[in-house]
């Protein structure tokens, strides 16, 4: 590689690489610090889908501190794989408690699960305190030979 090309390439990205679209410093000794996202202001959105079917593998209180939604969709329906995760539902309460403002939040489970029912019953007072409403729906969508529960959301 000619010297001027080498100079340009190292100058445009001096000692940094991308991990999941985030600039990191490979010289860091801590593996966690190379994957951490720099702190910034929270992001406000109307609707957020909780990643990975509400699995505890990659959603924690930090997600809910930084991604502030009016509506969160929970789609997990696989108890064997921990979906939805009680830890993620608890993380919503923990993250929302640190918002510093009492905005209305609606949680929309797409399936009626034992985990969601128990969480709802055991944390109902905390949900009310934090202005979190869990949307239950008795609506059903019927498509050819299949039917499934559904929620209607209007903005």
């Amino acid at each position: 590689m000619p010297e001027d090309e080498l100079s340009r390439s190292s100058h445009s990205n001096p000692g940094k690489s991308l991990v999941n679209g985030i600039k990191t410093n490979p010289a860091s000794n801590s593996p966690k610090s190379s994957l951490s996202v720099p702190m910034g202001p929270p992001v406000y959105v109307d609707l957020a889908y909780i990643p990975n079917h509400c699995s505890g593998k990659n959603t924690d209180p930090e997600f809910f501190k930084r991604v502030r939604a009016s509506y969160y969709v929970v789609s997990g329906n696989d108890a064997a794989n921990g979906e939805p995760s009680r830890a993620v539902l608890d993380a919503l309460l923990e993250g929302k408690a640190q918002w510093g403002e009492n905005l209305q939040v609606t949680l929309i489970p797409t399936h009626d699960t034992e985990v969601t029912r128990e969480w709802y019953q055991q944390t109902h007072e905390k949900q009310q305190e934090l202005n979190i409403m869990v949307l239950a729906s008795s609506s059903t969508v019927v498509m050819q030979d299949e039917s499934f529960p559904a929620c209607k959301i209007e903005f």
Side-chain angles (χ1 to χ4, degrees):
M1 182 183 291
E3 188 176 328
D4 61 334
E5 265 184 61
L6 179 61
S7 172
R8 272 194 307 247
S9 74
S10 65
H11 187 57
S12 66
N13 196 6
K16 298 205 177 205
S17 61
L18 290 178
V19 175
N20 294 329
I22 300 165
K23 285 186 180 181
T24 61
N25 185 352
S28 171
N29 292 333
S30 168
K32 186 170 183 160
S33 70
S34 69
L35 296 176
S36 65
V37 178
M39 290 305 295
V43 176
Y44 291 86
V45 296
D46 289 329
L47 178 72
Y49 177 86
I50 299 177
N52 203 23
H53 303 290
C54 196
S55 167
K57 296 175 186 169
N58 56 4
T59 304
D60 60 9
E62 192 62 33
F63 173 82
F64 295 105
K65 289 179 200 171
R66 302 199 50 202
V67 178
R68 299 180 181 187
S70 297
Y71 299 87
Y72 290 102
V73 176
V74 176
S75 70
N77 189 26
D78 186 357
N81 284 320
E83 300 168 5
S85 166
R86 170 68 189 248
V88 172
L89 297 171
D90 289 339
L92 168 61
L93 297 175
E94 184 180 332
K96 172 80 166 62
Q98 297 185 29
W99 285 13
E101 49 194 328
N102 199 16
L103 300 173
Q104 170 73 48
V105 168
T106 303
L107 186 68
I108 305 167
T110 60
H111 296 88
D112 180 19
T113 67
E114 180 93 13
V115 170
T116 308
R117 279 193 309 269
E118 285 180 6
W119 176 82
Y120 176 81
Q121 292 170 351
Q122 294 169 359
T123 65
H124 189 69
E125 281 185 32
K126 186 72 169 171
Q127 294 166 42
Q128 288 181 319
E129 176 186 318
L130 294 171
N131 205 13
I132 296 174
M133 180 178 74
V134 178
L135 183 66
S137 175
S138 59
S139 299
T140 302
V141 173
V142 179
M143 296 179 64
Q144 296 176 355
D145 297 330
E146 185 180 9
S147 67
F148 50 89
C151 292
K152 180 180 178 183
I153 305 170
E154 294 183 17
F155 294 94

